[in-house]
Amino acid sequence: MQDERSRISDRRRHTRNRMYRYIYNAVTPVTKQQLANALGFSLPTVHQNIGELMEAGMIRPGEMQKSTGGRPAVGYTVNEKIRYSVGASVTSTSIRILLTDIRQNEIDCRTVPLLSPEGAKIGKQIAAELDRCLADHGIDDGMVLGVGITFPGVIDRRKNTIVLSPTLKMKDIALSEVAEPLRFPVFIENDSTCGGAAEWLGLSPEEKKEDFVYLYLENGIGGAVFINGRPYVGSNRRSGEFGHMCIRPDGPVCNCGKRGCLEAYCSSLRITRDLGISAETFMQEVRRGNEQYLAIWEDILLHLSIGIDNLRMAFDCSVILGGYMSRYLEPYLERLREMAAGRSPFETDGDYIRLGKYPSRAALMGVAWHFTNEFISGI
Ligand SMILES: [Zn+2]
């Protein structure tokens, strides 16, 4: 009897969840008739579930487009403000915090300088800034689903450890050190994996069927391999550490201590640390034809094309470029494609190289999505 009852309640939950997801994914409000037609449910079933979702505050009536005649039908859309998710990304210089509603709309996004690259201090700094952010928007703690935090480094959640972050000079840090100062559920993941997840979410249903490699160009360089919409993490959780792929054995010393890594050539640190100017100023100078900077930019593009071609050789799928530095690549994309294709005996063009949709906040969006997705799955 108990089994029978739990089966029925499972089925009811499944029905309600499918309806919520349909409404969530729809661009415009959805009528009961549309739900019945699209999901194959009877109108009484739709009616009952709409009632339950309305009562729980999950959905609300939405504005319908004007009908051509007769009585306008009532449409439903999700209540975006039912809960909020937080994404935070830690880099060698700053912490960025993104607050999103349930539809992943940005409510707030702020950047503060990183005070200290130590686990507990990072947790405290995120907690303090988040408090200010929630107070600014009048959001109570109970409305926050959780805080996702990304680090540029190898994260092993089975061992609850940041194994290594060459960019932050961190090694064997317990995730609990970072999470402890926060009074919300915390999820910690590699920045590139989260960036790739955000890009995957932004793909069309047709594009989602294809595997891709994500190359994340920031202060450091990371990456992720997405197969069937999921990151391939590897035996040691180090899959996609493309930044430390050796491009030239005799190249410059990298953050990791080895020579000639892709990161040593193509990360933004090559500009900000070595030249002492911002990437923005550097690119302005490149566009103005500053010969010294143009030569460096050409060298960055050259080594980037080598790295990308290597990834194409290894994975034979699209390569999506993301991260802070990728936003400067658009005017040079065709050139980069030609350079990469020219290195390969197999390619006639470099169309497999694409720019991500969210160059500056993919990691934040991806990690915030963790809690939003969990919430939607539980409806
Ligand atoms: Zn390296």
Side-chain angles (χ1 to χ4, degrees), residues 49-330:
N49 281 281
I50 287 283
E52 285 175 14
L53 288 167
M54 285 282 288
E55 203 177 309
M58 298 289 174
I59 59 170
R60 59 179 175 82
E63 261 182 50
M64 293 295 288
Q65 289 186 336
K66 282 200 173 70
S67 62
T68 47
R71 210 174 57 172
V74 179
Y76 298 91
T77 190
V78 295
N79 175 12
E80 298 91 339
K81 311 298 177 207
I82 185 83
R83 290 289 185 279
Y84 297 86
S85 291
V86 179
S89 70
V90 182
T91 74
S92 58
T93 54
S94 64
I95 296 176
R96 296 183 74 201
I97 296 179
L98 172 73
L99 177 69
T100 70
D101 67 17
I102 210 74
R103 262 242 163 89
Q104 292 244 283
N105 296 312
E106 175 187 318
I107 306 299
D108 195 301
C109 189
R110 52 183 73 189
T111 306
V112 290
L114 177 70
L115 298 178
S116 170
E118 292 169 49
K121 288 185 181 166
I122 288 172
K124 270 188 197 152
Q125 207 187 339
I126 294 173
E129 196 53 45
L130 183 56
D131 279 352
R132 281 190 280 275
C133 178
L134 295 176
D136 287 350
H137 295 278
I139 294 170
D140 295 335
D141 282 7
M143 302 292 280
V144 179
L145 294 170
V147 182
I149 306 174
T150 70
F151 280 87
V154 179
I155 314 284
D156 191 337
R157 278 202 311 280
R158 290 169 309 183
K159 294 180 186 160
N160 285 312
T161 307
I162 299 171
V163 180
L164 180 67
S165 171
T167 320
L168 286 166
K169 311 280 181 230
M170 290 171 100
K171 196 168 187 275
D172 295 328
I173 303 293
L175 298 185
S176 55
E177 270 188 45
V178 182
E180 214 263 335
L182 286 142
R183 56 183 187 280
F184 304 101
V186 171
F187 170 77
I188 297 176
E189 183 53 285
N190 170 269
D191 54 359
S192 313
T193 304
C194 293
E199 293 295 345
W200 186 83
L201 284 166
L203 295 178
S204 68
E206 205 49 42
E207 289 170 324
K208 278 192 166 94
K209 291 177 188 161
E210 292 176 21
D211 301 329
F212 70 94
V213 163
Y214 183 65
L215 187 60
Y216 190 62
L217 307 164
E218 293 255 326
N219 283 347
I221 292 183
V225 181
F226 276 77
I227 298 171
N228 296 325
R230 292 191 157 273
Y232 167 74
V233 294
S235 305
N236 301 291
R237 322 289 295 180
R238 297 200 287 259
S239 164
E241 283 293 335
F242 304 132
H244 305 289
M245 176 166 68
C246 183
I247 299 293
R248 284 184 196 272
D250 56 350
V253 176
C254 177
N255 281 320
C256 69
K258 304 293 180 195
R259 279 190 177 274
C261 301
L262 184 66
E263 182 166 309
Y265 285 102
C266 301
S267 75
S268 64
L269 278 186
R270 180 164 177 199
I271 297 160
T272 54
R273 187 182 58 195
D274 298 357
L275 299 177
I277 56 171
S278 69
E280 193 65 42
T281 307
F282 173 80
M283 290 311 297
Q284 275 171 11
E285 286 298 308
V286 167
R287 285 191 287 268
R288 279 171 46 181
N290 178 317
E291 282 186 17
Q292 183 204 348
Y293 291 171
L294 254 175
I296 294 171
W297 182 238
E298 277 297 311
D299 194 61
I300 290 174
L301 289 178
L302 169 72
H303 289 93
L304 187 56
S305 75
I306 296 173
I308 291 171
D309 180 48
N310 288 349
L311 297 181
R312 176 71 167 178
M313 290 285 179
F315 298 101
D316 187 26
C317 61
S318 293
V319 177
I320 298 181
L321 306 177
Y324 172 74
M325 285 300 285
S326 71
R327 65 184 166 161
Y328 298 115
L329 286 171
E330 195 169 2

Side-chain angles (χ1 to χ4, degrees), residues 18-37:
R18 281 187 64 198
M19 280 184 49
Y20 181 82
R21 281 179 190 273
Y22 189 86
I23 297 169
Y24 185 94
N25 290 323
V27 181
T28 53
V30 184
T31 65
K32 288 178 183 170
Q33 191 63 57
Q34 283 171 330
L35 278 162
N37 293 348

